[in-house]
Every structure is written in C-alpha cells, then in structure tokens.
Amino acid sequence: MTISPFSRPLYVMLKPVGARCNLACDYCYYLSKQQLYADERRHLMSEQLLEEFTRQYISAQTTDEVLFTWHGGEAMMRPLSFYQHAVELQKKYADGHIISNALQTNGTLITEEWARFLHDEHWLVGVSIDGPQEVHDPYRRTPQDEPTWARVRRGIDILNRYHVEWNAMAVVNNLNAKQPLEFYRFFRDDLQCRFLQFTPVVDGGEWKGEGGGFKVESVEWGHFLCEIFDEWAKNDVGEMFVQLFDATLANWVGVTPGFCTMAHSCGHAAVMEWNGDVYSCDHFVEPRHLLGNIREHSLIELMYGEQQTAFSQIKQGQLSDDCRQCPWLFACNGECPKNRILPGRRNYLCEGYRMFFRHVAPWMDEAARQFSTNS
C-alpha cells in the first residue's frame, strides 16, 4: 500500500461522546449512530485515547497550524475538565505547532464557567440555532419534547458577555426556508452574528422520521438562497460572512473553498468516534466506511490509505450525466454525495442550486474579474 502524507491535508473531527446528545432534534442524522455500538453502555472517549489521538494528530500534520474540532452528538456532555485536560495534552505534544480548537454545540449547556474557559483558551464555538423561536422550537426539542430556543439564546448571550468568538449553524427546513429574509435578519440584527452556516434538510433515508415533512424542497432551497444573497450583496458584503456564498465565490475564482460539500473532492476530513474508530466522513459513519481504529493503525495509514483514497474519488467518479453536462459544475462539483438520492445519482438539491448559480452569476463574474485584476 502506498501512503503519501503530502497528497492532501489531514483533518479528523472528534466525537468525545459519540452520538449521545441531550436533545432529540427531529432531523438529526447522527443520533442513530449509537446503534453501531449498542453493546457498549458508556460512549465516552477515555483520557488514554485522547492522549494517543492528540500525539498522532499533531505529529501527522504537514502544516504549522493544527485544528482540533469537537463535535457530537453534544460534545459539551463531557465535563469541562475533559477539555482542560485536552488543552494540556495539546501543549505537551505541540512541538512548535500552532494549536486551535473549534467546538460545535447546541448551546443549551453553556455556562459562565464554560464561557470563561472558551474565551481564555481562544476556542471558536459553533452554535446550532435554526432562526427565530417559532421556526426553531418545532424540530429542536428535548427527549421530553420540550422546546429549546430560550436555552440556546441564553447560551449565546453568555458567550457574548464573555466575548467568546462564535458562529451560527442553522438547519434549513420546511419552516424557516419559507421565511428567508426573516431568517437572515434574525441572525444579522437580533443575534449580531457575523458568521453564518446553513445546511438544508434532505430526506434521503438517513434522517430520523423518514418521509417526514421537515425536508426543504429543492426549488424552495433555490429561492431561499437567492433572496438571502440579494440582501447580503446589497448590504452586508465584508460585514456578514455566509459560508455558502464564500464557497461559491471561491469556486468562481478557482480557489479551493473551505466548505467540503462544494470542494472538488472528498476525503481529507474524517471523523473519529469515542472508541478510536475512524470513518471516512461525518455523513458516512457506517460499517462500510470504517477505516480502522487508531489503536491498531496510525492516522497516517488510515487517512492516506487505499480505502480513504478511493472514498475521495467518489465525488467526481460518480457524477450523474446531468452533472457532467451542467454549466455550473465548476461552482458546486456535484455538491455532497450524500444528497445524490434521485434516479441516476442526481443530487436532490440540483434544481435549487442551478437557480441560485444563474441568479448570482453576474455578481460572481464581476467579483472574479476584480479578483483577477487585483491578483
């Protein structure tokens, strides 16, 4: 087996509590992953495994900067002491590297003690919130079927009070997709959020409640993007950063986007479960995409081995005929393979993306021209 540590970046997302979560959101694609380890009672990453990962992860990097990303489930179900120990281990094995951390959370467990730590250690926090209360609460609920918006908003207020850097991550569904401007202005004006990421719900059989009514229709997704883009382009360029718009512009000017769904290939970003099992991607945590365990194989072997190399080629190798003939292929690269659920491996969101790319093309063309002139 040929292993090339220089072929692509190495990035592994950590799941310190696996798929465990204190919420039970209707559209969550990850809660069901607990069944992969149904024979185990406690899905908690040990401190010994944390140290082994930290050592391997830092030593495997080919750049000066190393990003640790903590995800779930709900990563904050591990006590603060776990992350304080993680920082100590990062310092122990840093070996001159610049270490950064990002934590994705539903925001309901944020306390002042947590906020002090996040601020003092300069962690970036991603908070999941789907917009105003009336569109957040219907699907983001506790296992006891209680609403969560007020608790999330309280968590955000604490982060702001302690000057913690945070981004918003929203799931676009059949409710908030119908109110694109109200959705966008809530983040911009009410939350004073400056970095926004949104992900559409696609009913591909992986979502809890298959056949449920919470998915966003493809054309609806297109309208949603176009309306928000017009508001953003008119008022907020350089002030508000929308991940999808940034990724689109990157592809328009020929720069690799920092958003995997729009990148040319997959495979550089994997996920490690609580027990050391490494999977090809967060959206492909299933037995056939298990690369191995870091107790038995190094991260370099797993991430640059034949199986992950083959996975990275799926995106371009399994494009539909429609994609190959599409004039906008350069702008989305077929988007995420998990959404290719229509006959002929067509992407469920394709019609909406085509609508969006046609709409923004004049603006993107001009931005690309200015980029070329200034380069």
Side-chain angles (χ1 to χ4, degrees):
M1 179 176 65
T2 301
I3 298 173
S4 175
F6 305 102
S7 58
R8 57 182 181 272
L10 187 151
Y11 173 77
V12 182
M13 180 190 298
L14 286 167
K15 303 276 186 172
V17 296
R20 292 177 61 223
C21 188
N22 64 321
L23 303 188
C25 302
D26 285 343
Y27 45 63
C28 182
Y29 68 93
Y30 214 81
L31 282 179
S32 63
K33 305 305 179 184
Q34 294 182 75
Q35 298 307 311
L36 292 171
Y37 305 102
D39 294 338
E40 301 285 342
R41 187 174 66 86
R42 287 166 54 85
H43 295 178
L44 299 176
M45 183 179 295
S46 70
E47 292 192 354
Q48 180 275 330
L49 180 62
L50 173 63
E51 180 162 7
E52 178 62 19
F53 174 84
T54 303
R55 182 188 65 79
Q56 286 196 35
Y57 191 56
I58 294 175
S59 65
Q61 303 298 327
T62 58
T63 62
D64 292 336
E65 298 183 6
V66 183
L67 174 64
F68 285 76
T69 301
W70 308 89
H71 214 285
E74 173 49 56
M76 290 182 71
M77 290 183 72
R78 290 309 303 268
L80 181 55
S81 58
F82 176 85
Y83 295 98
Q84 291 170 331
H85 183 55
V87 170
E88 293 173 356
L89 291 173
Q90 291 170 4
K91 293 176 180 177
K92 176 180 178 180
Y93 292 104
D95 191 29
H97 289 86
I98 301 170
I99 309 293
S100 300
N101 287 274
L103 173 74
Q104 183 64 38
T105 176
N106 59 44
T108 62
L109 300 177
I110 295 170
T111 63
E112 293 196 2
E113 184 182 19
W114 267 100
R116 279 193 293 270
F117 166 80
L118 296 167
H119 170 268
D120 293 347
E121 298 297 338
H122 308 289
W123 283 35
L124 172 65
V125 180
V127 180
S128 298
I129 180 169
D130 290 350
Q133 187 169 10
E134 63 271 18
V135 295
H136 173 99
D137 275 344
Y139 298 141
R140 285 194 177 273
R141 305 185 73 82
T142 70
Q144 295 75 36
D145 199 31
E146 298 170 340
T148 63
W149 187 89
R151 293 167 60 186
V152 179
R153 182 61 191 264
R154 182 175 66 245
I156 291 173
D157 289 343
I158 293 173
L159 293 179
N160 286 335
R161 193 156 63 244
Y162 280 83
H163 305 288
V164 177
E165 185 179 358
W166 68 276
N167 299 344
M169 201 292 286
V171 173
V172 181
N173 54 61
N174 66 309
L175 298 179
N176 54 17
K178 293 178 172 59
Q179 304 173 7
L181 292 184
E182 291 88 342
F183 169 92
Y184 177 73
R185 290 167 181 169
F186 166 77
F187 287 98
R188 183 191 64 190
D189 302 333
D190 292 9
L191 293 187
Q192 299 292 303
C193 172
R194 290 296 172 259
F195 296 88
L196 176 60
Q197 173 186 352
F198 36 71
T199 302
V201 173
V202 173
D203 185 5
E206 66 180 67
W207 305 98
K208 175 184 173 186
E210 180 179 0
F214 43 71
K215 69 177 180 180
V216 60
E217 300 294 339
S218 183
V219 172
E220 193 171 48
W221 173 239
H223 284 297
F224 175 86
L225 294 178
C226 290
E227 288 202 38
I228 292 178
F229 180 85
D230 288 347
E231 175 84 357
W232 173 82
K234 180 180 179 181
N235 300 307
D236 302 319
V237 176
E239 298 293 331
M240 183 82 168
F241 298 90
V242 180
Q243 185 185 52
L244 181 57
F245 300 163
D246 289 346
T248 300
L249 179 57
N251 277 334
W252 226 273
V253 301
V255 176
T256 300
F259 188 25
C260 65
T261 63
M262 311 289 277
H264 182 269
S265 61
C266 301
H268 76 280
V271 58
M272 191 180 85
E273 274 284 349
W274 60 277
N275 65 345
D277 284 348
V278 179
Y279 292 85
S280 291
C281 171
D282 185 44
H283 285 279
F284 291 88
V285 175
E286 52 195 57
R288 67 193 178 105
H289 291 297
L290 173 62
L291 301 176
N293 191 287
I294 68 164
R295 290 190 174 101
E296 301 165 356
H297 304 279
S298 72
L299 281 174
I300 289 179
E301 290 178 309
L302 298 176
M303 291 299 293
Y304 301 122
E306 294 176 358
Q307 184 176 346
Q308 187 68 350
T309 299
F311 180 82
S312 71
Q313 297 168 354
I314 289 175
K315 192 167 193 180
Q316 293 298 320
Q318 296 183 2
L319 286 172
S320 68
D321 291 340
D322 283 354
C323 274
R324 296 183 189 281
Q325 299 167 12
C326 179
W328 309 114
L329 177 58
F330 75 94
C332 74
N333 288 297
E335 213 248 356
C336 185
K338 74 178 177 62
N339 293 332
R340 297 175 184 177
I341 59 176
L342 298 181
R345 294 196 299 267
R346 289 182 297 124
N347 193 302
Y348 173 84
L349 297 168
C350 181
E351 189 173 359
Y353 275 116
R354 290 188 184 192
M355 179 188 306
F356 170 64
F357 295 140
R358 285 195 298 269
H359 183 76
V360 304
W363 190 96
M364 292 290 173
D365 287 342
E366 176 59 22
R369 186 191 66 77
Q370 293 183 20
F371 177 84
S372 177
T373 301
N374 295 329
S375 297

